[in-house]
Amino acid sequence: MRVWIAGLVVLSVCGSVAAQAPAPQAGRGAAAPRNLQVLPKDTQQQDVVALMQQFTRALGVQCTYCHVEVTAPLLTAEEAAAAAAAAPPAAGRGRGRGRGAGPQMDFASDDKRQKQTARLMLTLVNDINTRLAAAIRKPPADIVRVQCATCHRGITNPAQLSDLLRQTMLGKGESAAVAQYRELRQAYVSSGAYDFREPVLLDLGRESLATRKADDALAWLQLNLEVYPQSVPSWIALSQAHMAKRDQDAARSDLQKALTLDPANAEALRLLRAMPK
């Protein structure tokens, strides 16, 4: 069972845990959450709200990601004035649409696919944590529990960067894949949502070389060297990509740059010696 499920699952708690009652009216107790199917039925409203806030932060979303937003009916001027003077929002809805208020929500509704998926994922996460605790046999305080942030880290789809880039390269070509990398790096380089370390593009370049896709390899490796110009393995792999394209001058130049950075590099020396004079 892949741990990444955990993340998405929690997301749902904004929705799956879900159907929570509105804030209590003055003089009354807090209404119990409705339509809870994964969390215990007696979970208090404030606990549901706290959980959902954790999930939305972990996935970088708002409650509308899982919950249905209610479209209020159009009112005449007279009806609007009467409604403004009436009691607080009706039970089962979110905050009103006054200044600074969020959208009205139908928290109990199961109409959104994201909420339904979230319930399943929350169940799986609970199962992972239960099995982990039983198998490891350590004190509870010593066990790292899977949470939504474990995988999501501020994004809704916790896919690996290499998988995303590979898909784009295969479907839309090298220009689109390079543009995607730059966009993701600009948006997420400091968040930890994706792995932008040196080996990611280097491995994609080597993978392309192994499958005889020299143009793809050149795109990955040149991009990696924009970010990591001191990467000796990237210069060596780039030389191999240029050799595959029968560009010996470029390949020799790549190897010389690698040796400038690491004069004793055995692989670069071997490849340079093997090149035609």
Side-chain angles (χ1 to χ4, degrees), residues 31-63:
R34 296 181 296 115
N35 195 22
L36 296 183
Q37 297 186 25
V38 178
L39 293 182
K41 300 291 185 183
D42 59 352
T43 304
Q44 296 299 304
Q45 180 198 30
Q46 64 270 23
D47 296 328
V48 174
V49 172
L51 279 170
M52 290 196 291
Q53 288 172 342
Q54 288 180 29
F55 303 146
T56 54
R57 286 194 296 271
L59 275 73
V61 297
Q62 299 296 321
C63 285

Side-chain angles (χ1 to χ4, degrees), residues 5-224:
I5 339 188
L8 236 248
V9 49
V10 264
L11 156 266
S12 68
V13 149
C14 181
S16 128
V17 170
Q20 103 199 32
Q25 297 182 8
R28 301 183 184 180
R34 296 181 296 115
N35 195 22
L36 296 183
Q37 297 186 25
V38 178
L39 293 182
K41 300 291 185 183
D42 59 352
T43 304
Q44 296 299 304
Q45 180 198 30
Q46 64 270 23
D47 296 328
V48 174
V49 172
L51 279 170
M52 290 196 291
Q53 288 172 342
Q54 288 180 29
F55 303 146
T56 54
R57 286 194 296 271
L59 275 73
V61 297
Q62 299 296 321
C63 285
T64 49
Y65 188 81
C66 285
H67 293 299
V68 173
E69 184 176 352
V70 177
T71 302
L74 295 176
L75 303 177
T76 65
E78 293 77 10
E79 289 172 332
R93 305 299 183 192
R95 294 179 294 171
R97 294 183 181 277
R99 191 175 199 181
Q104 292 183 344
M105 307 294 300
D106 184 352
F107 289 114
S109 172
D110 290 337
D111 288 348
K112 281 200 171 183
R113 174 186 55 81
Q114 289 91 335
K115 181 178 176 182
Q116 298 171 26
T117 302
R119 281 201 179 103
L120 171 62
M121 299 192 74
L122 186 57
T123 301
L124 291 173
V125 167
N126 290 339
D127 184 59
I128 290 172
N129 285 323
T130 299
R131 290 171 179 264
L132 191 64
I136 292 181
R137 297 179 182 177
K138 287 184 177 180
D142 295 341
I143 298 176
V144 176
R145 295 178 61 82
V146 170
Q147 303 177 43
C148 54
T150 303
C151 296
H152 284 274
R153 300 182 181 184
I155 54 174
T156 57
N157 178 18
Q160 296 297 306
L161 178 62
S162 56
D163 292 339
L164 290 175
L165 296 175
R166 187 184 296 107
Q167 260 185 340
T168 302
M169 178 73 84
L170 293 175
K172 300 180 181 179
E174 60 189 63
S175 296
V178 169
Q180 181 184 35
Y181 176 86
R182 290 197 172 112
E183 290 170 4
L184 291 173
R185 185 177 180 84
Q186 182 175 4
Y188 297 106
V189 68
S190 62
S191 72
Y194 296 105
D195 183 358
F196 291 104
R197 291 176 300 167
E198 175 189 341
V200 174
L201 293 179
L202 175 58
D203 288 346
L204 285 171
R206 287 170 169 168
E207 178 184 304
S208 296
L209 281 172
T211 54
R212 299 183 180 181
K213 296 177 180 177
D215 289 330
D216 291 359
L218 286 171
W220 295 133
L221 295 165
Q222 288 168 345
L223 180 60
N224 205 34

